[in-house]
Amino acid sequence: MTDYLSAPPTDWEGLERFSFGDSPALADELLDLVLRGIKTGTCWAASDGQQTVIGKLSVVCDGRNRPRAITRTRSLVKKRCSDVDEDFAAKEGEGDRSLAHWRREHERYFRRLNQFSETMELWCEEFVVVFVFP
């Protein structure tokens, strides 16, 4: 069974919208990885709250806040930043997909947001693209 939809749900405009990253350029870069099937995971500081549940549909927007895809949450786990493993780092799809790259770039990202600590907890989500807007 495939998750892919041939058309967006009729209520798609009421779905929660978000963009990856903290800038329009990063949103576009990460969205490109999603659309190419490379990025199938993401994370955020647990202090920002649980932003999804398994099965939830969300609209991913580009750096100009235009809807580009709909994703469905496949899994959601809370873990310490230090407990992220190679498998999840690869699912994030960034750089060379290594854990070393993931740690370096995510520390930089969370420091920009004034959230980083060695013991911080993250929500780690795996998702699947179910629709791409033309």
Side-chain angles (χ1 to χ4, degrees), residues 43-71:
C43 67
W44 60 91
S47 61
D48 288 341
Q50 183 178 335
Q51 299 174 9
T52 190
V53 295
I54 294 173
K56 181 179 178 180
L57 295 174
S58 300
V59 176
V60 183
C61 296
D62 64 16
R64 290 183 215 80
N65 203 35
R66 294 179 303 199
R68 295 296 309 279
I70 297 175
T71 60

Side-chain angles (χ1 to χ4, degrees), residues 1 20 30 42 52 63 76 83 88 92 126 130-131 134:
M1 182 179 152
F20 291 104
L30 298 177
T42 193
T52 190
L76 183 65
D83 292 333
F88 187 77
E92 284 252 17
E126 292 179 37
V130 296
F131 184 78

Side-chain angles (χ1 to χ4, degrees), residues 7-124:
T10 56
D11 63 345
W12 76 266
E13 291 189 52
L15 297 175
E16 185 176 320
R17 294 178 182 212
F18 74 97
S19 296
F20 291 104
D22 61 349
S23 70
L26 186 55
D28 288 342
E29 177 184 328
L30 298 177
L31 173 64
D32 179 62
L33 294 173
V34 169
L35 295 177
R36 291 173 34 211
I38 297 168
K39 181 174 181 61
T40 60
T42 193
C43 67
W44 60 91
S47 61
D48 288 341
Q50 183 178 335
Q51 299 174 9
T52 190
V53 295
I54 294 173
K56 181 179 178 180
L57 295 174
S58 300
V59 176
V60 183
C61 296
D62 64 16
R64 290 183 215 80
N65 203 35
R66 294 179 303 199
R68 295 296 309 279
I70 297 175
T71 60
R72 180 187 322 272
T73 301
R74 279 215 160 148
S75 71
L76 183 65
V77 177
K78 188 191 280 188
K79 60 175 77 176
R80 290 182 185 260
C81 188
S82 59
D83 292 333
V84 168
D85 59 17
E86 289 276 353
D87 184 54
F88 187 77
K91 289 175 182 170
E92 284 252 17
E94 300 167 39
D96 64 3
R97 301 187 201 172
S98 70
L99 182 58
H101 181 273
W102 185 93
R103 289 194 191 286
R104 182 176 61 253
E105 293 304 313
H106 281 75
E107 180 175 341
R108 288 178 59 206
Y109 173 77
F110 288 119
R111 283 192 188 281
R112 283 196 310 268
L113 300 177
N114 294 315
Q115 293 179 316
F116 182 77
S117 82
E118 296 290 335
T119 59
M120 74 182 293
E121 288 191 314
L122 303 173
W123 282 109
C124 297

